[in-house]
Amino acid sequence: MGADVTAWWRDAVIYEVYVRSFADGDGDGVGDLIGVRDRLPYLKSLGVDAIWLTPFYPSPMADFGYDVADYRDVDPLFGTLGDFKALVDDAHGLGIRVIVDIVPNHTSDRHPWFQEGLRDRYIFRDEPNDWESIFGGSAWTQTEDGQWYLHLFAPEQPDLNWDNPAVREEFEQILRFWLDLGVDGFRVDVAHGMVKPADLPDIGHPDQVRMVGSQKVPYFDNDAVHDIHRSWRRILDSYPGERIGVAEAWAPSPERLALYIRPDELHQAFNFHYLFAPWDAAELRRAIDESLATSGSVGAPTTWVLSNHDVKRHVTRYGSLARARAAAVLTLALPGSAYLYQGEELGLPEVLDLPAEVCQDPQRLRDPDSGRDGCRVPLPWTRDLGWRNPWLPIPSDWSDLSVEAETGDPASTLELYRTALHARRELQGDLVWRESPAGTLLFSRGDHVCAVNLTGEPVDFAIDGELVIASDTPGAPDSAAWWKVK
Ligand code: BGC
């Protein structure tokens, strides 16, 4: 990228490409890197600054690529290293940065280390403890010779032993491999998970997954994980062009989360607190204030995220497209960086009625309702949906939500996002709350004002200014708008 880099990531809009479901370049029903490359002009015209590609590495796909068998190649399902390089070059040519996923907590059980029986690189014990897998059931699987290995996710995802210097060294080399190929950063999967306490203490009760994100569990968020992030930061900083690390970290409090984005660690962390805030003015305001304060306390920008490949799409979480559109207009007005998940710009809902026989997500083991297939349905590109035999069926009524149907329609969600992403560049300055009726949010940033009505009644915000964007008639129930004021 050009030399004029000025902390580009501090207010960047980064679009998550779930490669498998984005665009199919070779017609086999599974999205791929050629598909992504073909659609770069779409992403450019949408106005994103960067894309984050979910794992495309060789994998048996027990967890759709988050079980990596080879960290330095591309799975044939998704293309080749040459396709990857061409994608990066084209993206950079359009001024779009490329972030790739790195999965350091665990490998695939097909990874050569596990296959070759290099047990000191994993966590083997004679007896299991009581830890549970995030996907349900025990976090331990017994091997033929009677020993057990730890897997905080699926049995096909053995956890690595980060106390072994060979593991640390290998990942540093992997980072360099992709940095040398020109990537602009990494989304660090389970960035809170790598280091486990040596004595692997029992937790003492079941249903542990409910504790993650609000309480301390011994397998996550151990202090020594920060040494790894510091060493990675030194590598990122040794490359030109401000390469970044973004933590997917589940910490028990916002203060613990802020530790991942101290100046010598990663650049950003996903803001799941905001993602999980309900459609309620007071709750959203609290999440916004708390996020700004805690990331500000370490000098890092906040990130804002409404959806991703692991959670129910926010149209469905909030209960209506009107709310989802208003949430997007609010989110894109906030200071900091925003992460979009493919398809939210079309207003796609969660697919709740996928037939059981097509659902493949291992998390359904925990309970069928927690399955993540419904947010991973392929994107509808054209009125005829644009896929031959997609790996998950696309609802036929998504024809009207397709890129083709929405493009150029000023009332569409796609055009709302496009307007917001371009207009957002004018928003400068800190957020200052202004007084507003109960159930609403009103704030200014420089010469812009944003108003959100979360009540079921119309509200007159009486703003004297030029309307820049509105998710609906300004002041309508479940709407948001920005104005430029004198
Ligand atoms: C990814 C999930 C994945 C898990 C295990 C997550 O946080 O986002 O999709 O299943 O890590 O790698």
Side-chain angles (χ1 to χ4, degrees), residues 63 66 103 106 135 153 157 187 189-190 248 250 309-310 372 376:
D63 186 20
Y66 283 97
V103 188
H106 43 263
F135 290 160
F153 294 87
Q157 293 168 294
R187 177 262 187 193
D189 190 63
V190 196
E248 186 230 12
W250 294 86
H309 67 284
D310 289 330
R372 300 167 296 179
R376 299 174 176 182

Side-chain angles (χ1 to χ4, degrees), residues 12 80 192 214 250 257 301 318 323 330 332 363 407 424 456 461 468:
T80 63
H192 54 305
S214 59
W250 294 86
L257 184 61
Y318 291 145
R323 289 178 177 180
L330 161 65
L332 292 167
Q363 190 163 290
T407 299
R424 185 176 188 278
F461 288 103
V468 176

Side-chain angles (χ1 to χ4, degrees), residues 189-205:
D189 190 63
V190 196
H192 54 305
M194 289 91 98
V195 180
K196 319 304 187 285
D199 56 343
L200 305 180
D202 276 337
I203 294 177
H205 55 83

